Amino acid sequence: TELNAKLHSVLDKLKQHQMNQRAEGLKLQQEISHLKKEKLQLYQQITDIQKRIADMENIIGYDMK
């Protein structure tokens, strides 16, 4: 019947939308993981630079004495 066909069509669209949402969710999770990894790398670089600056300040301080 026409009502069953419409219902079937709506359910198909709903399933397709749900699959699209899942795919988008997975894509966003991957992007978040990548950004967290990048953030960790940047934090490590900042820490390394801060240590180098502290080392240079110590060397300069000793040279001034």
Short mmCIF file of all heavy atoms in Angstrom, two decimals:
data_model
loop_
_atom_site.label_atom_id
_atom_site.label_comp_id
_atom_site.label_asym_id
_atom_site.label_seq_id
_atom_site.Cartn_x
_atom_site.Cartn_y
_atom_site.Cartn_z
N THR A 1 0.84 -1.19 0.00
CA THR A 1 0.00 0.00 0.00
C THR A 1 0.87 1.25 0.00
O THR A 1 2.06 1.19 0.27
CB THR A 1 -0.92 0.03 1.24
OG1 THR A 1 -0.13 0.18 2.40
CG2 THR A 1 -1.80 -1.18 1.31
N GLU A 2 0.22 2.35 -0.29
CA GLU A 2 0.95 3.63 -0.36
C GLU A 2 1.52 4.02 0.99
O GLU A 2 2.65 4.51 1.09
CB GLU A 2 0.02 4.72 -0.88
CG GLU A 2 0.72 6.01 -1.17
CD GLU A 2 -0.22 7.08 -1.73
OE1 GLU A 2 -1.23 6.73 -2.37
OE2 GLU A 2 0.09 8.26 -1.49
N LEU A 3 0.77 3.78 2.05
CA LEU A 3 1.24 4.12 3.39
C LEU A 3 2.47 3.30 3.76
O LEU A 3 3.44 3.84 4.32
CB LEU A 3 0.11 3.89 4.41
CG LEU A 3 0.39 4.32 5.85
CD1 LEU A 3 0.78 5.79 5.92
CD2 LEU A 3 -0.81 4.05 6.72
N ASN A 4 2.44 2.03 3.43
CA ASN A 4 3.61 1.17 3.71
C ASN A 4 4.83 1.63 2.91
O ASN A 4 5.95 1.62 3.42
CB ASN A 4 3.30 -0.29 3.39
CG ASN A 4 2.48 -0.95 4.48
OD1 ASN A 4 2.47 -0.49 5.62
ND2 ASN A 4 1.79 -2.02 4.14
N ALA A 5 4.63 2.04 1.68
CA ALA A 5 5.73 2.51 0.84
C ALA A 5 6.33 3.78 1.43
O ALA A 5 7.56 3.93 1.47
CB ALA A 5 5.24 2.76 -0.58
N LYS A 6 5.47 4.69 1.89
CA LYS A 6 5.96 5.92 2.50
C LYS A 6 6.73 5.62 3.79
O LYS A 6 7.79 6.20 4.05
CB LYS A 6 4.81 6.88 2.79
CG LYS A 6 4.26 7.57 1.57
CD LYS A 6 3.16 8.56 1.93
CE LYS A 6 2.62 9.23 0.69
NZ LYS A 6 1.58 10.22 1.01
N LEU A 7 6.17 4.71 4.58
CA LEU A 7 6.81 4.33 5.82
C LEU A 7 8.19 3.70 5.54
O LEU A 7 9.18 4.04 6.19
CB LEU A 7 5.94 3.34 6.60
CG LEU A 7 6.50 2.85 7.95
CD1 LEU A 7 6.76 4.01 8.90
CD2 LEU A 7 5.54 1.85 8.57
N HIS A 8 8.24 2.83 4.55
CA HIS A 8 9.50 2.20 4.17
C HIS A 8 10.51 3.26 3.70
O HIS A 8 11.69 3.20 4.05
CB HIS A 8 9.25 1.17 3.06
CG HIS A 8 10.45 0.36 2.71
ND1 HIS A 8 11.00 -0.56 3.56
CD2 HIS A 8 11.22 0.35 1.60
CE1 HIS A 8 12.05 -1.10 2.99
NE2 HIS A 8 12.20 -0.56 1.79
N SER A 9 10.05 4.22 2.95
CA SER A 9 10.91 5.29 2.46
C SER A 9 11.46 6.12 3.62
O SER A 9 12.65 6.45 3.66
CB SER A 9 10.14 6.19 1.50
OG SER A 9 10.91 7.30 1.12
N VAL A 10 10.61 6.45 4.55
CA VAL A 10 11.03 7.23 5.72
C VAL A 10 12.05 6.45 6.54
O VAL A 10 13.07 6.99 6.98
CB VAL A 10 9.81 7.64 6.59
CG1 VAL A 10 10.26 8.18 7.94
CG2 VAL A 10 8.96 8.66 5.87
N LEU A 11 11.81 5.16 6.73
CA LEU A 11 12.75 4.32 7.49
C LEU A 11 14.09 4.22 6.78
O LEU A 11 15.14 4.27 7.42
CB LEU A 11 12.16 2.93 7.71
CG LEU A 11 11.02 2.85 8.74
CD1 LEU A 11 10.43 1.44 8.78
CD2 LEU A 11 11.50 3.26 10.13
N ASP A 12 14.07 4.09 5.46
CA ASP A 12 15.32 4.05 4.69
C ASP A 12 16.09 5.36 4.85
O ASP A 12 17.31 5.34 5.04
CB ASP A 12 15.04 3.79 3.20
CG ASP A 12 14.67 2.33 2.93
OD1 ASP A 12 14.91 1.47 3.81
OD2 ASP A 12 14.15 2.06 1.83
N LYS A 13 15.39 6.47 4.77
CA LYS A 13 16.04 7.77 4.93
C LYS A 13 16.61 7.91 6.34
O LYS A 13 17.72 8.43 6.53
CB LYS A 13 15.06 8.91 4.64
CG LYS A 13 14.73 9.06 3.18
CD LYS A 13 13.72 10.16 2.94
CE LYS A 13 13.32 10.23 1.48
NZ LYS A 13 12.30 11.24 1.24
N LEU A 14 15.86 7.43 7.33
CA LEU A 14 16.32 7.49 8.71
C LEU A 14 17.57 6.64 8.91
O LEU A 14 18.54 7.08 9.55
CB LEU A 14 15.20 7.02 9.65
CG LEU A 14 15.47 7.12 11.15
CD1 LEU A 14 15.74 8.57 11.55
CD2 LEU A 14 14.31 6.56 11.93
N LYS A 15 17.58 5.44 8.34
CA LYS A 15 18.76 4.57 8.44
C LYS A 15 19.96 5.21 7.75
O LYS A 15 21.07 5.16 8.27
CB LYS A 15 18.47 3.20 7.81
CG LYS A 15 17.57 2.33 8.66
CD LYS A 15 17.28 1.01 7.96
CE LYS A 15 16.25 0.20 8.73
NZ LYS A 15 15.89 -1.04 8.02
N GLN A 16 19.75 5.81 6.60
CA GLN A 16 20.84 6.46 5.87
C GLN A 16 21.39 7.64 6.68
O GLN A 16 22.60 7.82 6.79
CB GLN A 16 20.36 6.96 4.50
CG GLN A 16 21.44 7.56 3.64
CD GLN A 16 22.55 6.57 3.32
OE1 GLN A 16 22.30 5.43 2.99
NE2 GLN A 16 23.79 7.01 3.43
N HIS A 17 20.49 8.41 7.26
CA HIS A 17 20.90 9.53 8.10
C HIS A 17 21.71 9.04 9.30
O HIS A 17 22.75 9.61 9.64
CB HIS A 17 19.68 10.32 8.56
CG HIS A 17 20.00 11.49 9.43
ND1 HIS A 17 20.61 12.63 8.95
CD2 HIS A 17 19.83 11.69 10.76
CE1 HIS A 17 20.80 13.47 9.95
NE2 HIS A 17 20.33 12.93 11.05
N GLN A 18 21.25 7.94 9.91
CA GLN A 18 21.96 7.39 11.06
C GLN A 18 23.36 6.90 10.65
O GLN A 18 24.33 7.14 11.37
CB GLN A 18 21.15 6.22 11.64
CG GLN A 18 21.70 5.68 12.95
CD GLN A 18 20.83 4.57 13.51
OE1 GLN A 18 20.13 3.87 12.78
NE2 GLN A 18 20.88 4.40 14.82
N MET A 19 23.48 6.26 9.51
CA MET A 19 24.78 5.82 9.02
C MET A 19 25.69 7.01 8.74
O MET A 19 26.89 6.97 9.06
CB MET A 19 24.62 4.94 7.77
CG MET A 19 24.06 3.58 8.09
SD MET A 19 23.82 2.38 6.72
CE MET A 19 24.34 3.19 5.27
N ASN A 20 25.14 8.06 8.17
CA ASN A 20 25.93 9.26 7.91
C ASN A 20 26.41 9.89 9.21
O ASN A 20 27.55 10.36 9.30
CB ASN A 20 25.11 10.28 7.10
CG ASN A 20 24.88 9.85 5.67
OD1 ASN A 20 25.56 8.97 5.16
ND2 ASN A 20 23.90 10.46 5.02
N GLN A 21 25.55 9.92 10.21
CA GLN A 21 25.92 10.49 11.51
C GLN A 21 27.02 9.67 12.17
O GLN A 21 27.95 10.22 12.76
CB GLN A 21 24.69 10.56 12.43
CG GLN A 21 23.67 11.60 12.00
CD GLN A 21 24.21 13.01 12.06
OE1 GLN A 21 24.83 13.40 13.03
NE2 GLN A 21 24.00 13.76 11.00
N ARG A 22 26.93 8.35 12.06
CA ARG A 22 27.98 7.49 12.61
C ARG A 22 29.31 7.74 11.91
O ARG A 22 30.35 7.83 12.56
CB ARG A 22 27.59 6.01 12.47
CG ARG A 22 26.64 5.54 13.52
CD ARG A 22 26.51 4.02 13.48
NE ARG A 22 25.46 3.59 14.39
CZ ARG A 22 24.63 2.60 14.15
NH1 ARG A 22 24.72 1.91 13.04
NH2 ARG A 22 23.72 2.28 15.04
N ALA A 23 29.26 7.83 10.59
CA ALA A 23 30.49 8.08 9.82
C ALA A 23 31.09 9.42 10.22
O ALA A 23 32.31 9.54 10.39
CB ALA A 23 30.19 8.03 8.32
N GLU A 24 30.25 10.42 10.36
CA GLU A 24 30.73 11.75 10.76
C GLU A 24 31.31 11.70 12.18
O GLU A 24 32.33 12.32 12.45
CB GLU A 24 29.58 12.76 10.69
CG GLU A 24 29.98 14.19 10.99
CD GLU A 24 30.88 14.81 9.94
OE1 GLU A 24 30.95 14.31 8.80
OE2 GLU A 24 31.55 15.81 10.27
N GLY A 25 30.66 10.95 13.06
CA GLY A 25 31.16 10.80 14.42
C GLY A 25 32.54 10.15 14.45
O GLY A 25 33.43 10.58 15.17
N LEU A 26 32.73 9.11 13.64
CA LEU A 26 34.03 8.45 13.57
C LEU A 26 35.09 9.39 13.01
O LEU A 26 36.22 9.44 13.50
CB LEU A 26 33.94 7.19 12.70
CG LEU A 26 33.19 6.02 13.31
CD1 LEU A 26 33.01 4.90 12.28
CD2 LEU A 26 33.91 5.50 14.53
N LYS A 27 34.71 10.15 12.00
CA LYS A 27 35.64 11.12 11.41
C LYS A 27 36.06 12.15 12.45
O LYS A 27 37.25 12.48 12.57
CB LYS A 27 34.97 11.81 10.21
CG LYS A 27 35.82 12.83 9.52
CD LYS A 27 35.04 13.47 8.38
CE LYS A 27 35.78 14.66 7.83
NZ LYS A 27 35.00 15.38 6.82
N LEU A 28 35.11 12.64 13.23
CA LEU A 28 35.42 13.63 14.26
C LEU A 28 36.28 13.03 15.37
O LEU A 28 37.19 13.69 15.88
CB LEU A 28 34.13 14.21 14.84
CG LEU A 28 33.35 15.13 13.90
CD1 LEU A 28 32.00 15.48 14.51
CD2 LEU A 28 34.14 16.37 13.57
N GLN A 29 36.03 11.77 15.72
CA GLN A 29 36.86 11.11 16.74
C GLN A 29 38.30 10.99 16.25
O GLN A 29 39.23 11.22 17.03
CB GLN A 29 36.31 9.72 17.06
CG GLN A 29 35.09 9.74 17.95
CD GLN A 29 34.53 8.35 18.21
OE1 GLN A 29 34.82 7.40 17.50
NE2 GLN A 29 33.73 8.23 19.26
N GLN A 30 38.48 10.65 14.98
CA GLN A 30 39.83 10.56 14.42
C GLN A 30 40.51 11.92 14.43
O GLN A 30 41.69 12.05 14.75
CB GLN A 30 39.79 10.00 13.00
CG GLN A 30 39.43 8.53 12.94
CD GLN A 30 39.23 8.04 11.52
OE1 GLN A 30 39.01 8.82 10.59
NE2 GLN A 30 39.30 6.73 11.33
N GLU A 31 39.75 12.95 14.08
CA GLU A 31 40.30 14.30 14.06
C GLU A 31 40.70 14.74 15.47
O GLU A 31 41.76 15.34 15.67
CB GLU A 31 39.26 15.26 13.47
CG GLU A 31 39.85 16.49 12.87
CD GLU A 31 38.82 17.29 12.07
OE1 GLU A 31 38.07 16.71 11.28
OE2 GLU A 31 38.78 18.51 12.28
N ILE A 32 39.86 14.42 16.45
CA ILE A 32 40.17 14.76 17.85
C ILE A 32 41.43 14.04 18.30
O ILE A 32 42.30 14.64 18.94
CB ILE A 32 38.97 14.43 18.77
CG1 ILE A 32 37.83 15.44 18.53
CG2 ILE A 32 39.38 14.43 20.24
CD1 ILE A 32 36.52 15.06 19.18
N SER A 33 41.54 12.77 17.95
CA SER A 33 42.75 12.01 18.31
C SER A 33 43.99 12.64 17.69
O SER A 33 45.02 12.77 18.36
CB SER A 33 42.63 10.56 17.85
OG SER A 33 41.62 9.89 18.57
N HIS A 34 43.87 13.04 16.44
CA HIS A 34 45.00 13.68 15.75
C HIS A 34 45.37 15.00 16.45
O HIS A 34 46.55 15.28 16.67
CB HIS A 34 44.67 13.93 14.29
CG HIS A 34 45.72 14.67 13.54
ND1 HIS A 34 46.90 14.09 13.14
CD2 HIS A 34 45.79 15.96 13.13
CE1 HIS A 34 47.64 14.99 12.53
NE2 HIS A 34 46.99 16.13 12.51
N LEU A 35 44.37 15.79 16.79
CA LEU A 35 44.62 17.07 17.45
C LEU A 35 45.24 16.88 18.83
O LEU A 35 46.13 17.64 19.24
CB LEU A 35 43.33 17.89 17.54
CG LEU A 35 42.81 18.43 16.21
CD1 LEU A 35 41.42 19.02 16.39
CD2 LEU A 35 43.77 19.45 15.63
N LYS A 36 44.80 15.85 19.56
CA LYS A 36 45.38 15.57 20.88
C LYS A 36 46.84 15.18 20.74
O LYS A 36 47.68 15.60 21.54
CB LYS A 36 44.60 14.46 21.58
CG LYS A 36 43.28 14.91 22.16
CD LYS A 36 42.58 13.76 22.86
CE LYS A 36 41.26 14.22 23.47
NZ LYS A 36 40.58 13.12 24.19
N LYS A 37 47.14 14.38 19.72
CA LYS A 37 48.53 13.98 19.47
C LYS A 37 49.37 15.19 19.12
O LYS A 37 50.48 15.38 19.62
CB LYS A 37 48.57 12.96 18.34
CG LYS A 37 49.95 12.44 18.03
CD LYS A 37 49.91 11.41 16.90
CE LYS A 37 51.30 10.94 16.53
NZ LYS A 37 51.27 10.01 15.40
N GLU A 38 48.83 16.06 18.28
CA GLU A 38 49.54 17.28 17.89
C GLU A 38 49.75 18.19 19.10
O GLU A 38 50.82 18.77 19.27
CB GLU A 38 48.74 18.01 16.80
CG GLU A 38 49.48 19.13 16.14
CD GLU A 38 48.69 19.73 14.98
OE1 GLU A 38 47.97 18.98 14.29
OE2 GLU A 38 48.79 20.94 14.78
N LYS A 39 48.75 18.30 19.95
CA LYS A 39 48.85 19.10 21.16
C LYS A 39 49.97 18.57 22.06
O LYS A 39 50.77 19.35 22.60
CB LYS A 39 47.52 19.08 21.92
CG LYS A 39 47.53 19.83 23.24
CD LYS A 39 46.21 19.64 23.96
CE LYS A 39 46.29 20.13 25.38
NZ LYS A 39 45.08 19.84 26.14
N LEU A 40 50.03 17.25 22.21
CA LEU A 40 51.08 16.64 23.03
C LEU A 40 52.46 16.92 22.46
O LEU A 40 53.39 17.26 23.20
CB LEU A 40 50.83 15.13 23.13
CG LEU A 40 51.75 14.35 24.05
CD1 LEU A 40 51.64 14.85 25.49
CD2 LEU A 40 51.42 12.87 23.98
N GLN A 41 52.59 16.84 21.14
CA GLN A 41 53.87 17.13 20.49
C GLN A 41 54.27 18.59 20.70
O GLN A 41 55.44 18.88 21.00
CB GLN A 41 53.80 16.81 18.99
CG GLN A 41 53.71 15.33 18.68
CD GLN A 41 53.41 15.04 17.23
OE1 GLN A 41 52.92 15.90 16.49
NE2 GLN A 41 53.70 13.83 16.79
N LEU A 42 53.32 19.49 20.57
CA LEU A 42 53.61 20.91 20.79
C LEU A 42 54.00 21.18 22.24
O LEU A 42 54.92 21.94 22.52
CB LEU A 42 52.40 21.77 20.40
CG LEU A 42 52.12 21.86 18.90
CD1 LEU A 42 50.77 22.54 18.66
CD2 LEU A 42 53.22 22.60 18.18
N TYR A 43 53.31 20.53 23.16
CA TYR A 43 53.64 20.68 24.58
C TYR A 43 55.07 20.20 24.83
O TYR A 43 55.83 20.85 25.56
CB TYR A 43 52.64 19.90 25.44
CG TYR A 43 52.93 19.99 26.91
CD1 TYR A 43 52.61 21.13 27.63
CD2 TYR A 43 53.53 18.93 27.59
CE1 TYR A 43 52.88 21.23 28.98
CE2 TYR A 43 53.81 19.02 28.94
CZ TYR A 43 53.48 20.17 29.64
OH TYR A 43 53.76 20.26 30.98
N GLN A 44 55.45 19.07 24.22
CA GLN A 44 56.80 18.55 24.39
C GLN A 44 57.82 19.52 23.81
O GLN A 44 58.87 19.76 24.41
CB GLN A 44 56.93 17.18 23.71
CG GLN A 44 58.28 16.53 23.92
CD GLN A 44 58.58 16.24 25.38
OE1 GLN A 44 57.75 15.69 26.08
NE2 GLN A 44 59.75 16.63 25.85
N GLN A 45 57.52 20.11 22.66
CA GLN A 45 58.43 21.09 22.06
C GLN A 45 58.58 22.32 22.95
O GLN A 45 59.69 22.83 23.12
CB GLN A 45 57.93 21.50 20.67
CG GLN A 45 58.07 20.41 19.63
CD GLN A 45 57.44 20.78 18.30
OE1 GLN A 45 56.75 21.80 18.19
NE2 GLN A 45 57.64 19.95 17.30
N ILE A 46 57.48 22.78 23.51
CA ILE A 46 57.53 23.94 24.42
C ILE A 46 58.39 23.60 25.64
O ILE A 46 59.24 24.40 26.06
CB ILE A 46 56.11 24.36 24.85
CG1 ILE A 46 55.38 25.00 23.67
CG2 ILE A 46 56.15 25.31 26.04
CD1 ILE A 46 53.90 25.23 23.91
N THR A 47 58.19 22.43 26.19
CA THR A 47 58.97 22.00 27.36
C THR A 47 60.45 21.95 27.01
O THR A 47 61.30 22.41 27.79
CB THR A 47 58.48 20.62 27.85
OG1 THR A 47 57.08 20.72 28.16
CG2 THR A 47 59.22 20.18 29.09
N ASP A 48 60.78 21.40 25.85
CA ASP A 48 62.18 21.34 25.42
C ASP A 48 62.78 22.73 25.25
O ASP A 48 63.92 22.98 25.67
CB ASP A 48 62.30 20.56 24.10
CG ASP A 48 61.99 19.07 24.25
OD1 ASP A 48 61.96 18.58 25.40
OD2 ASP A 48 61.79 18.41 23.21
N ILE A 49 62.01 23.63 24.65
CA ILE A 49 62.49 25.01 24.45
C ILE A 49 62.69 25.70 25.80
O ILE A 49 63.69 26.40 26.01
CB ILE A 49 61.53 25.80 23.54
CG1 ILE A 49 61.63 25.26 22.10
CG2 ILE A 49 61.84 27.29 23.57
CD1 ILE A 49 60.56 25.79 21.16
N GLN A 50 61.75 25.50 26.71
CA GLN A 50 61.89 26.11 28.04
C GLN A 50 63.14 25.59 28.75
O GLN A 50 63.85 26.35 29.41
CB GLN A 50 60.64 25.82 28.89
CG GLN A 50 59.44 26.62 28.46
CD GLN A 50 58.16 26.20 29.18
OE1 GLN A 50 58.02 25.07 29.62
NE2 GLN A 50 57.23 27.14 29.29
N LYS A 51 63.44 24.31 28.60
CA LYS A 51 64.64 23.74 29.20
C LYS A 51 65.88 24.34 28.56
O LYS A 51 66.84 24.70 29.26
CB LYS A 51 64.65 22.22 29.06
CG LYS A 51 65.83 21.55 29.77
CD LYS A 51 65.83 20.06 29.55
CE LYS A 51 66.95 19.37 30.25
NZ LYS A 51 68.26 19.97 30.13
N ARG A 52 65.88 24.49 27.25
CA ARG A 52 67.03 25.08 26.57
C ARG A 52 67.25 26.52 27.02
O ARG A 52 68.39 26.95 27.24
CB ARG A 52 66.83 25.02 25.05
CG ARG A 52 67.01 23.62 24.49
CD ARG A 52 66.64 23.51 23.04
NE ARG A 52 67.36 24.45 22.20
CZ ARG A 52 66.99 24.78 20.96
NH1 ARG A 52 65.93 24.24 20.41
NH2 ARG A 52 67.69 25.64 20.27
N ILE A 53 66.15 27.27 27.17
CA ILE A 53 66.26 28.66 27.64
C ILE A 53 66.84 28.69 29.05
O ILE A 53 67.74 29.49 29.34
CB ILE A 53 64.88 29.36 27.59
CG1 ILE A 53 64.47 29.61 26.14
CG2 ILE A 53 64.92 30.68 28.36
CD1 ILE A 53 63.03 30.07 25.97
N ALA A 54 66.34 27.81 29.92
CA ALA A 54 66.85 27.76 31.29
C ALA A 54 68.34 27.40 31.30
O ALA A 54 69.12 28.00 32.04
CB ALA A 54 66.05 26.75 32.11
N ASP A 55 68.72 26.46 30.44
CA ASP A 55 70.14 26.08 30.35
C ASP A 55 70.98 27.27 29.88
O ASP A 55 72.06 27.53 30.41
CB ASP A 55 70.33 24.89 29.40
CG ASP A 55 69.78 23.59 29.97
OD1 ASP A 55 69.51 23.53 31.18
OD2 ASP A 55 69.61 22.63 29.17
N MET A 56 70.49 27.99 28.88
CA MET A 56 71.22 29.16 28.37
C MET A 56 71.33 30.24 29.44
O MET A 56 72.38 30.87 29.59
CB MET A 56 70.53 29.72 27.13
CG MET A 56 70.71 28.91 25.89
SD MET A 56 69.91 29.76 24.52
CE MET A 56 69.41 28.37 23.53
N GLU A 57 70.24 30.46 30.18
CA GLU A 57 70.27 31.46 31.25
C GLU A 57 71.30 31.07 32.32
O GLU A 57 72.01 31.93 32.84
CB GLU A 57 68.88 31.62 31.86
CG GLU A 57 67.91 32.33 30.95
CD GLU A 57 66.48 32.37 31.49
OE1 GLU A 57 66.15 31.57 32.39
OE2 GLU A 57 65.71 33.19 30.99
N ASN A 58 71.39 29.79 32.61
CA ASN A 58 72.38 29.33 33.59
C ASN A 58 73.79 29.56 33.07
O ASN A 58 74.66 30.01 33.81
CB ASN A 58 72.18 27.85 33.92
CG ASN A 58 70.98 27.62 34.80
OD1 ASN A 58 70.56 28.51 35.54
ND2 ASN A 58 70.41 26.43 34.74
N ILE A 59 74.02 29.27 31.81
CA ILE A 59 75.34 29.46 31.22
C ILE A 59 75.71 30.95 31.22
O ILE A 59 76.80 31.33 31.62
CB ILE A 59 75.40 28.88 29.79
CG1 ILE A 59 75.34 27.35 29.84
CG2 ILE A 59 76.67 29.34 29.06
CD1 ILE A 59 75.12 26.70 28.49
N ILE A 60 74.77 31.78 30.79
CA ILE A 60 75.01 33.23 30.76
C ILE A 60 75.26 33.75 32.17
O ILE A 60 76.17 34.53 32.41
CB ILE A 60 73.82 33.97 30.11
CG1 ILE A 60 73.76 33.64 28.62
CG2 ILE A 60 73.94 35.48 30.33
CD1 ILE A 60 72.49 34.10 27.93
N GLY A 61 74.50 33.25 33.12
CA GLY A 61 74.68 33.67 34.52
C GLY A 61 76.06 33.31 35.04
O GLY A 61 76.71 34.10 35.72
N TYR A 62 76.54 32.13 34.69
CA TYR A 62 77.89 31.71 35.13
C TYR A 62 78.97 32.54 34.43
O TYR A 62 79.97 32.88 35.02
CB TYR A 62 78.11 30.23 34.87
CG TYR A 62 77.32 29.33 35.80
CD1 TYR A 62 76.52 28.31 35.30
CD2 TYR A 62 77.38 29.51 37.19
CE1 TYR A 62 75.79 27.49 36.16
CE2 TYR A 62 76.66 28.69 38.05
CZ TYR A 62 75.87 27.68 37.52
OH TYR A 62 75.17 26.88 38.36
N ASP A 63 78.75 32.87 33.14
CA ASP A 63 79.75 33.64 32.39
C ASP A 63 79.86 35.06 32.95
O ASP A 63 80.91 35.68 32.86
CB ASP A 63 79.38 33.70 30.91
CG ASP A 63 79.63 32.37 30.21
OD1 ASP A 63 80.31 31.51 30.82
OD2 ASP A 63 79.18 32.21 29.07
N MET A 64 78.78 35.60 33.49
CA MET A 64 78.78 36.97 33.99
C MET A 64 79.54 37.10 35.30
O MET A 64 79.96 38.18 35.66
CB MET A 64 77.34 37.44 34.18
CG MET A 64 76.55 37.51 32.90
SD MET A 64 76.88 39.05 32.16
CE MET A 64 75.39 39.62 31.53
N LYS A 65 79.69 36.04 36.04
CA LYS A 65 80.30 36.10 37.38
C LYS A 65 81.79 36.29 37.33
O LYS A 65 82.52 36.01 36.50
CB LYS A 65 79.96 34.86 38.18
CG LYS A 65 78.50 34.82 38.55
CD LYS A 65 78.19 33.59 39.36
CE LYS A 65 76.71 33.55 39.72
NZ LYS A 65 76.31 32.39 40.42
#
